[in-house]
Short mmCIF file of all heavy atoms in Angstrom, two decimals:
data_model
loop_
_atom_site.label_atom_id
_atom_site.label_comp_id
_atom_site.label_asym_id
_atom_site.label_seq_id
_atom_site.Cartn_x
_atom_site.Cartn_y
_atom_site.Cartn_z
N ILE M 1 31.30 78.77 5.02
CA ILE M 1 30.97 78.61 3.65
C ILE M 1 29.37 78.63 3.56
O ILE M 1 28.67 77.84 4.23
CB ILE M 1 31.43 77.30 3.18
CG1 ILE M 1 33.02 77.15 3.19
CG2 ILE M 1 30.90 77.11 1.63
CD1 ILE M 1 33.45 75.81 2.79
N LYS M 2 28.96 79.59 2.82
CA LYS M 2 27.34 79.69 2.76
C LYS M 2 26.95 78.86 1.46
O LYS M 2 25.89 78.23 1.52
CB LYS M 2 27.02 81.19 2.49
CG LYS M 2 27.32 82.03 3.66
CD LYS M 2 26.58 83.45 3.59
CE LYS M 2 25.09 83.36 3.49
NZ LYS M 2 24.52 84.73 3.46
N SER M 3 27.69 78.96 0.43
CA SER M 3 27.23 78.20 -0.86
C SER M 3 28.44 78.01 -1.75
O SER M 3 29.42 78.58 -1.58
CB SER M 3 26.17 79.02 -1.47
OG SER M 3 26.74 80.21 -2.02
N ILE M 4 28.26 77.06 -2.63
CA ILE M 4 29.17 76.83 -3.64
C ILE M 4 28.43 76.85 -5.07
O ILE M 4 27.27 76.46 -5.10
CB ILE M 4 29.92 75.40 -3.53
CG1 ILE M 4 28.89 74.32 -3.61
CG2 ILE M 4 30.72 75.36 -2.26
CD1 ILE M 4 29.54 72.83 -3.66
N GLN M 5 28.98 77.39 -5.98
CA GLN M 5 28.44 77.50 -7.37
C GLN M 5 29.06 76.37 -8.23
O GLN M 5 30.29 76.17 -8.27
CB GLN M 5 28.65 78.85 -8.00
CG GLN M 5 27.88 78.99 -9.41
CD GLN M 5 28.07 80.37 -10.03
OE1 GLN M 5 29.24 80.64 -10.31
NE2 GLN M 5 27.03 81.19 -10.02
N LEU M 6 28.26 75.67 -8.89
CA LEU M 6 28.75 74.55 -9.72
C LEU M 6 28.55 74.92 -11.26
O LEU M 6 27.63 75.63 -11.57
CB LEU M 6 27.97 73.22 -9.42
CG LEU M 6 27.94 72.79 -7.98
CD1 LEU M 6 27.05 71.54 -7.92
CD2 LEU M 6 29.32 72.51 -7.43
N GLU M 7 29.41 74.29 -12.03
CA GLU M 7 29.30 74.41 -13.49
C GLU M 7 29.28 72.99 -14.05
O GLU M 7 29.75 72.09 -13.52
CB GLU M 7 30.50 75.20 -14.13
CG GLU M 7 31.80 74.53 -13.90
CD GLU M 7 32.94 75.41 -14.43
OE1 GLU M 7 32.80 76.67 -14.34
OE2 GLU M 7 33.99 74.94 -14.90
N GLN M 8 28.70 72.87 -15.22
CA GLN M 8 28.61 71.55 -15.85
C GLN M 8 30.00 71.23 -16.42
O GLN M 8 30.57 71.96 -17.07
CB GLN M 8 27.58 71.60 -16.99
CG GLN M 8 26.17 71.77 -16.45
CD GLN M 8 25.17 71.78 -17.63
OE1 GLN M 8 25.20 71.04 -18.48
NE2 GLN M 8 24.21 72.76 -17.57
N SER M 9 30.46 70.05 -16.12
CA SER M 9 31.80 69.63 -16.57
C SER M 9 31.98 69.76 -18.05
O SER M 9 33.03 70.05 -18.50
CB SER M 9 32.16 68.20 -15.99
OG SER M 9 32.00 68.17 -14.50
N GLN M 10 31.05 69.23 -18.81
CA GLN M 10 31.07 69.18 -20.23
C GLN M 10 30.62 70.56 -20.97
O GLN M 10 31.04 70.72 -21.91
CB GLN M 10 30.25 68.01 -20.83
CG GLN M 10 30.54 66.70 -20.18
CD GLN M 10 32.05 66.33 -20.19
OE1 GLN M 10 32.61 66.57 -21.28
NE2 GLN M 10 32.54 65.82 -19.15
N GLN M 11 29.94 71.36 -20.18
CA GLN M 11 29.49 72.66 -20.75
C GLN M 11 29.71 73.72 -19.66
O GLN M 11 28.62 74.19 -19.03
CB GLN M 11 28.00 72.49 -21.23
CG GLN M 11 27.78 71.52 -22.33
CD GLN M 11 26.20 71.50 -22.66
OE1 GLN M 11 25.43 71.03 -21.88
NE2 GLN M 11 25.88 71.92 -23.84
N PRO M 12 30.81 74.15 -19.37
CA PRO M 12 31.04 75.05 -18.33
C PRO M 12 30.48 76.46 -18.45
O PRO M 12 30.31 77.10 -17.54
CB PRO M 12 32.61 75.18 -18.23
CG PRO M 12 33.06 74.65 -19.59
CD PRO M 12 32.07 73.66 -19.96
N ASP M 13 30.09 76.87 -19.72
CA ASP M 13 29.57 78.12 -19.96
C ASP M 13 27.95 78.07 -19.85
O ASP M 13 27.20 79.10 -20.00
CB ASP M 13 29.99 78.61 -21.36
CG ASP M 13 31.37 78.93 -21.47
OD1 ASP M 13 31.96 79.24 -20.40
OD2 ASP M 13 31.99 78.69 -22.51
N ALA M 14 27.44 76.90 -19.66
CA ALA M 14 26.06 76.70 -19.60
C ALA M 14 25.51 77.19 -18.12
O ALA M 14 26.32 77.63 -17.30
CB ALA M 14 25.56 75.29 -19.67
N GLN M 15 24.28 77.08 -17.89
CA GLN M 15 23.74 77.60 -16.63
C GLN M 15 24.30 76.93 -15.37
O GLN M 15 24.49 75.68 -15.42
CB GLN M 15 22.17 77.24 -16.70
CG GLN M 15 21.43 77.98 -15.42
CD GLN M 15 19.99 77.71 -15.49
OE1 GLN M 15 19.38 77.25 -16.47
NE2 GLN M 15 19.22 78.31 -14.45
N LYS M 16 24.58 77.79 -14.49
CA LYS M 16 25.28 77.23 -13.24
C LYS M 16 24.26 76.78 -12.21
O LYS M 16 23.09 76.89 -12.41
CB LYS M 16 26.03 78.38 -12.59
CG LYS M 16 27.09 79.12 -13.45
CD LYS M 16 28.22 78.19 -13.86
CE LYS M 16 29.28 78.97 -14.56
NZ LYS M 16 29.12 79.29 -15.93
N ARG M 17 24.75 76.12 -11.14
CA ARG M 17 23.89 75.60 -10.13
C ARG M 17 24.38 76.03 -8.79
O ARG M 17 25.61 75.89 -8.58
CB ARG M 17 23.81 74.03 -10.21
CG ARG M 17 22.88 73.43 -9.17
CD ARG M 17 22.77 71.96 -9.47
NE ARG M 17 21.74 71.23 -8.56
CZ ARG M 17 21.39 70.03 -8.66
NH1 ARG M 17 21.63 69.34 -9.82
NH2 ARG M 17 20.49 69.53 -7.77
N LEU M 18 23.58 76.39 -7.86
CA LEU M 18 23.91 76.88 -6.61
C LEU M 18 23.57 75.80 -5.57
O LEU M 18 22.41 75.31 -5.54
CB LEU M 18 23.28 78.21 -6.17
CG LEU M 18 23.78 78.99 -5.01
CD1 LEU M 18 25.19 79.41 -5.17
CD2 LEU M 18 22.85 80.13 -4.63
N VAL M 19 24.52 75.51 -4.72
CA VAL M 19 24.40 74.63 -3.62
C VAL M 19 24.50 75.29 -2.26
O VAL M 19 25.58 75.80 -1.98
CB VAL M 19 25.15 73.36 -3.58
CG1 VAL M 19 24.99 72.50 -2.43
CG2 VAL M 19 24.86 72.63 -4.91
N VAL M 20 23.51 75.44 -1.48
CA VAL M 20 23.54 76.03 -0.05
C VAL M 20 23.47 75.00 0.93
O VAL M 20 22.59 74.13 0.89
CB VAL M 20 22.47 77.13 0.12
CG1 VAL M 20 22.72 77.87 1.49
CG2 VAL M 20 22.42 78.10 -1.00
N ALA M 21 24.43 74.99 1.93
CA ALA M 21 24.48 73.79 2.79
C ALA M 21 24.97 74.33 4.18
O ALA M 21 25.70 75.31 4.21
CB ALA M 21 25.44 72.65 2.30
N ARG M 22 24.71 73.58 5.24
CA ARG M 22 25.23 73.94 6.51
C ARG M 22 26.56 73.39 6.74
O ARG M 22 27.32 74.14 7.41
CB ARG M 22 24.22 73.34 7.58
CG ARG M 22 22.86 74.02 7.53
CD ARG M 22 21.85 73.39 8.59
NE ARG M 22 20.68 74.10 8.69
CZ ARG M 22 19.67 74.01 7.87
NH1 ARG M 22 19.68 72.91 7.00
NH2 ARG M 22 18.54 74.65 7.98
N GLN M 23 26.91 72.30 6.26
CA GLN M 23 28.19 71.63 6.31
C GLN M 23 28.72 71.26 5.02
O GLN M 23 27.94 70.60 4.23
CB GLN M 23 28.19 70.54 7.35
CG GLN M 23 28.01 70.89 8.79
CD GLN M 23 29.32 71.62 9.37
OE1 GLN M 23 30.49 71.25 8.92
NE2 GLN M 23 29.26 72.48 10.40
N PHE M 24 29.97 71.38 4.71
CA PHE M 24 30.66 70.90 3.57
C PHE M 24 31.73 69.94 3.82
O PHE M 24 32.42 70.03 4.84
CB PHE M 24 31.21 72.04 2.78
CG PHE M 24 30.07 73.05 2.27
CD1 PHE M 24 29.63 74.06 2.99
CD2 PHE M 24 29.65 72.98 0.91
CE1 PHE M 24 28.63 74.85 2.59
CE2 PHE M 24 28.66 73.75 0.47
CZ PHE M 24 28.12 74.70 1.35
N ILE M 25 31.92 68.90 3.00
CA ILE M 25 32.92 67.85 3.11
C ILE M 25 33.62 67.81 1.87
O ILE M 25 32.98 67.38 0.78
CB ILE M 25 32.26 66.52 3.60
CG1 ILE M 25 31.55 66.63 4.80
CG2 ILE M 25 33.47 65.53 3.72
CD1 ILE M 25 30.90 65.32 5.28
N ASP M 26 34.80 68.03 1.70
CA ASP M 26 35.65 67.99 0.44
C ASP M 26 36.28 66.61 0.41
O ASP M 26 37.27 66.37 1.09
CB ASP M 26 36.73 69.05 0.41
CG ASP M 26 37.46 69.14 -0.92
OD1 ASP M 26 37.21 68.11 -1.79
OD2 ASP M 26 38.23 70.02 -1.21
N CYS M 27 35.74 65.73 -0.50
CA CYS M 27 36.26 64.46 -0.61
C CYS M 27 36.96 64.23 -1.94
O CYS M 27 37.14 63.13 -2.43
CB CYS M 27 35.13 63.33 -0.39
SG CYS M 27 34.46 63.25 1.25
N SER M 28 37.25 65.35 -2.72
CA SER M 28 37.97 65.20 -3.92
C SER M 28 39.41 64.83 -3.65
O SER M 28 40.02 65.09 -2.60
CB SER M 28 37.80 66.54 -4.70
OG SER M 28 38.56 67.61 -4.07
N TYR M 29 39.97 64.21 -4.76
CA TYR M 29 41.47 63.94 -4.63
C TYR M 29 42.28 65.17 -4.80
O TYR M 29 43.49 65.14 -4.43
CB TYR M 29 41.85 62.90 -5.75
CG TYR M 29 41.24 61.54 -5.59
CD1 TYR M 29 40.34 60.93 -6.55
CD2 TYR M 29 41.48 60.77 -4.44
CE1 TYR M 29 39.84 59.69 -6.50
CE2 TYR M 29 40.88 59.43 -4.21
CZ TYR M 29 40.13 59.02 -5.26
OH TYR M 29 39.54 57.79 -5.09
N GLU M 30 41.72 66.27 -5.31
CA GLU M 30 42.49 67.47 -5.65
C GLU M 30 42.45 68.48 -4.51
O GLU M 30 43.23 69.42 -4.49
CB GLU M 30 42.00 68.01 -6.96
CG GLU M 30 42.31 67.14 -8.12
CD GLU M 30 41.29 66.04 -8.36
OE1 GLU M 30 40.25 66.06 -7.60
OE2 GLU M 30 41.52 65.27 -9.35
N GLY M 31 41.34 68.40 -3.67
CA GLY M 31 41.13 69.45 -2.59
C GLY M 31 40.69 70.79 -3.12
O GLY M 31 40.99 71.96 -2.73
N ASP M 32 39.87 70.71 -4.21
CA ASP M 32 39.43 72.03 -4.83
C ASP M 32 38.51 72.80 -4.00
O ASP M 32 38.72 74.06 -3.94
CB ASP M 32 38.72 71.65 -6.19
CG ASP M 32 39.69 71.18 -7.31
OD1 ASP M 32 40.92 71.49 -7.12
OD2 ASP M 32 39.26 70.66 -8.22
N LEU M 33 37.62 72.27 -3.35
CA LEU M 33 36.69 73.07 -2.41
C LEU M 33 37.49 73.62 -1.25
O LEU M 33 37.35 74.70 -0.91
CB LEU M 33 35.61 72.05 -1.91
CG LEU M 33 34.66 72.73 -0.85
CD1 LEU M 33 33.97 73.94 -1.33
CD2 LEU M 33 33.60 71.67 -0.45
N MET M 34 38.44 72.92 -0.69
CA MET M 34 39.31 73.35 0.33
C MET M 34 40.01 74.59 -0.10
O MET M 34 40.05 75.58 0.57
CB MET M 34 40.24 72.24 0.77
CG MET M 34 41.44 72.64 1.73
SD MET M 34 42.71 71.42 1.83
CE MET M 34 43.49 71.53 0.14
N ALA M 35 40.63 74.60 -1.20
CA ALA M 35 41.51 75.64 -1.77
C ALA M 35 40.56 76.92 -2.05
O ALA M 35 40.98 78.04 -1.69
CB ALA M 35 42.12 75.13 -3.08
N LYS M 36 39.39 76.65 -2.75
CA LYS M 36 38.63 77.85 -3.07
C LYS M 36 37.90 78.46 -1.74
O LYS M 36 37.54 79.54 -1.82
CB LYS M 36 37.64 77.42 -4.09
CG LYS M 36 38.05 77.25 -5.46
CD LYS M 36 36.92 77.07 -6.48
CE LYS M 36 37.57 76.91 -7.83
NZ LYS M 36 38.06 78.26 -8.49
N ALA M 37 37.93 77.73 -0.67
CA ALA M 37 37.38 78.15 0.49
C ALA M 37 38.43 79.04 1.31
O ALA M 37 38.18 79.45 2.41
CB ALA M 37 36.92 77.05 1.39
N GLY M 38 39.65 79.10 0.86
CA GLY M 38 40.55 79.92 1.41
C GLY M 38 41.34 79.09 2.56
O GLY M 38 41.95 79.84 3.41
#
């Protein structure tokens, strides 16, 4: 995983935010990052 793109929860069509990291930890109850990472 090179990066994830974020959207604002209340304004999803507004400007996005990019996060580049060496390691990722999915601590959500839904596993969304895991799923989108294939």
Side-chain angles (χ1 to χ4, degrees):
I1 301 174
K2 292 189 67 175
S3 64
I4 62 173
Q5 187 180 66
L6 306 175
E7 64 184 31
Q8 297 180 44
S9 300
Q10 306 305 320
Q11 296 178 295
D13 295 328
Q15 186 174 359
K16 306 294 190 288
R17 180 172 184 171
L18 191 69
V19 176
V20 184
R22 293 181 173 85
Q23 287 287 329
F24 293 83
I25 305 176
D26 187 349
C27 290
S28 66
Y29 292 122
E30 295 83 6
D32 287 341
L33 175 54
M34 169 192 71
K36 285 186 179 292

